[in-house]
Amino acid sequence: MKLALKVLKYLVGLIVVLLAAGFLLPAEYSAQRSVTINAPVDKVFPLVANQKEWKRWSVWNQRDPNMTMTYAGPEAAVGSKWTWTSKSEGNGGMEIVKADFDKTVAYVLTIEGIDNPFNGRIDFAPAGDKVKVTWTGEGNVGMSPIGRWFAFFMDKMLGPDLEGSLKNLKELAERKG
């Protein structure tokens, strides 16, 4: 009995320390990945700017082939919006807030049940018949100490998805035809 109380005491103490440490962690997070694509920017940019093309290369769309997508607004321009429902990926929405041809596509992503939006940007740096594509995601988890622990590990959690999506985008853009 004394051993069980001692273990419980240390466990509660550990939880208190972890929660307190969570308040000391930053609320902001970011993740960034890049890839060089052997295709001209005018072939790559439309695959990102057009919301209907994302399902061809985004790992989030590919994880759930039964994901329901609904599109609104102009195609491949500021104001393009889409929402999705998915049993495995959750429900959410995305809106393009900036689209400078051959330079950048910025968006705001919201996920049902998460208060703070995710801000993403995909930048293009053309170099002849190639283009370097850099995807940056940023956000803020607010005051929650548990959320701050998630922010602390966000690069490791989000990075592989960015890498996988950029790999798919590269393969799609480099296809002949």
Side-chain angles (χ1 to χ4, degrees), residues 29-33 59-60 63 107 109 111 118-120 135-139 150-166:
Y29 64 86
S30 68
Q32 185 177 79
R33 298 295 189 274
V59 297
W60 299 311
R63 279 193 198 124
Y107 61 89
L109 182 141
I111 298 175
F118 175 85
N119 299 301
W135 194 346
T136 305
E138 302 170 325
F150 275 104
F152 184 71
F153 292 104
M154 191 61 77
D155 184 71
K156 287 183 179 14
M157 293 187 309
L158 184 59
D161 286 350
L162 299 181
E163 288 171 9
S165 294
L166 288 172

Side-chain angles (χ1 to χ4, degrees), residues 27-142:
E28 294 84 23
Y29 64 86
S30 68
Q32 185 177 79
R33 298 295 189 274
S34 296
V35 68
T36 298
I37 299 176
N38 297 315
V41 68
D42 62 343
K43 183 173 181 184
V44 180
F45 185 86
L47 296 172
V48 175
N50 186 333
Q51 73 270 34
K52 292 179 180 176
E53 294 290 338
W54 280 58
K55 65 184 168 198
R56 296 177 62 198
W57 57 268
S58 170
V59 297
W60 299 311
N61 294 91
Q62 294 174 351
R63 279 193 198 124
D64 181 4
N66 297 317
M67 182 182 286
T68 303
M69 307 286 289
T70 305
Y71 303 98
E75 208 171 273
V78 172
S80 295
K81 298 178 186 179
W82 62 103
T83 59
W84 66 86
T85 56
S86 169
K87 289 183 180 180
S88 66
E89 301 304 300
N91 303 329
M94 199 160 148
E95 179 178 358
I96 293 179
V97 294
K98 182 177 183 182
D100 289 338
F101 184 71
D102 292 356
K103 293 180 185 151
T104 192
V105 173
Y107 61 89
V108 175
L109 182 141
T110 55
I111 298 175
E112 201 173 88
I114 298 177
D115 294 335
N116 300 322
F118 175 85
N119 299 301
R121 189 179 72 251
I122 300 175
D123 296 310
F124 304 85
D129 60 347
K130 297 180 182 182
V131 60
K132 181 179 179 183
V133 179
T134 301
W135 194 346
T136 305
E138 302 170 325
N140 185 310
V141 295

Side-chain angles (χ1 to χ4, degrees), residues 1-15:
M1 181 74 163
K2 284 185 180 185
L3 179 62
L5 286 174
K6 196 174 214 179
V7 169
L8 182 62
K9 180 178 158 183
Y10 284 116
L11 186 60
V12 168
L14 178 63
I15 291 170

